Amino acid sequence: MLSDFPITKRWPAADPSVIQLYSLATPNGIKVAAMLEETGLGYEAHKVSFADADQMTPEFLSLNPNNKIPAIIDPHGPDGKAIGLWESGAILIYLAEKTGTLLPSDPVKRAHSLQWLMWQMGGAGPMFGQFGFFFKMGGAAFEDKRPLARYTDEAIRLLGVMDAQLAANEFIAGDAYSIADIALWPWINVLTGFYGAGEHLQVARYPHIQRWLHAALARPASQAALTVPS
């Protein structure tokens, strides 16, 4: 039951029968919102405000001790029991398996999708995030520009890896849109969007990424996810 989760006392559920999403419209938050929109699962989004340090409250930490968004509670988890989850990649896999969508059943294609999901989780996401800190946010004021140079170089390297993959494939893991694409497009989008780093990273040099990103953003689920939670 949802009432077993202390987080619901701070963010009460209007509809306890649907998935509860605790998030913010950052790249990692957008991932899970996009997946929920793609699957058509009912969900209710609760805003976790960084400005108010919501992620550090006892209620939020009771669900995610790592104090990061997003997190979910599915009231209809395995064996019909409610389950709480955090880490965006784990949530994407869980929702894909729950609905039988956006993760191939073929073992080889499934492995390739998970491979690129892990690439995003362990490489592209953390490196792009560090780049954004030193280019756009607090780190931009640092006199020592070596950190920015380091993460700029790594971001460019990763973009090159991704563009080469997309030169030979319609989607990042092959011929079908999957959770690997959902994990990646919000991070590519933030580089030229909120970070305003398109020129700095010379993103125009990567035509295959541009083609892929345009297609991902054109999906109705993607457009909806950009504003979740409202």
Side-chain angles (χ1 to χ4, degrees):
M1 296 176 58
L2 286 184
S3 59
D4 294 334
F5 294 84
I7 194 171
T8 61
K9 293 180 174 60
R10 186 178 181 91
W11 290 278
D15 183 354
S17 70
V18 301
I19 290 172
Q20 304 295 304
L21 169 65
Y22 307 92
S23 191
L24 198 62
T26 67
N28 284 334
I30 291 168
K31 288 182 203 174
V32 173
M35 183 63 179
L36 287 165
E37 290 287 339
E38 291 280 359
T39 63
L41 288 168
Y43 74 98
E44 184 177 330
H46 304 277
K47 182 178 180 179
V48 179
S49 171
F50 292 169
D52 297 327
D54 282 345
Q55 76 277 19
M56 302 303 295
T57 60
E59 294 88 351
F60 187 81
L61 291 171
S62 70
L63 179 59
N64 183 358
N66 196 39
N67 63 273
K68 303 290 184 182
I69 60 96
I72 68 166
I73 301 173
D74 181 1
H76 306 291
D79 299 322
K81 298 178 181 179
I83 180 175
L85 282 175
W86 47 279
E87 276 297 332
S88 57
I91 296 172
L92 291 181
I93 295 170
Y94 171 78
L95 294 175
E97 292 179 340
K98 177 183 177 73
T99 59
T101 60
L102 296 161
L103 184 59
S105 57
D106 176 82
V108 173
K109 292 181 178 180
R110 176 186 172 88
H112 286 162
S113 294
L114 292 174
Q115 169 183 265
W116 284 100
L117 173 64
M118 296 304 119
W119 182 81
Q120 185 282 309
M121 296 294 297
M127 293 301 102
F128 292 164
Q130 292 295 332
F131 164 78
F133 176 78
F134 288 106
F135 181 79
K136 167 80 173 182
M137 295 177 282
F142 291 7
E143 292 185 9
D144 186 348
K145 297 304 177 185
R146 286 175 294 180
L148 174 59
R150 160 63 180 124
Y151 290 113
T152 294
D153 289 347
E154 182 62 3
I156 290 171
R157 186 190 74 80
L158 291 165
L159 288 169
V161 171
M162 188 173 175
D163 198 63
Q165 172 69 5
L166 288 168
N169 298 277
E170 183 177 1
F171 300 105
I172 194 64
D175 59 0
Y177 191 74
S178 74
I179 56 174
D181 300 282
I182 292 174
L184 275 164
W185 74 253
W187 278 105
I188 300 301
N189 191 51
V190 81
L191 293 177
T192 56
F194 177 70
Y195 292 168
E199 183 176 347
H200 181 81
L201 296 175
Q202 301 180 55
V203 173
R205 294 188 305 171
Y206 307 106
H208 306 293
I209 290 178
Q210 297 300 315
R211 180 265 307 164
W212 165 87
L213 179 62
H214 178 77
L217 284 170
R219 299 174 73 91
S222 301
Q223 287 298 305
L226 290 170
T227 61
V228 174
S230 59

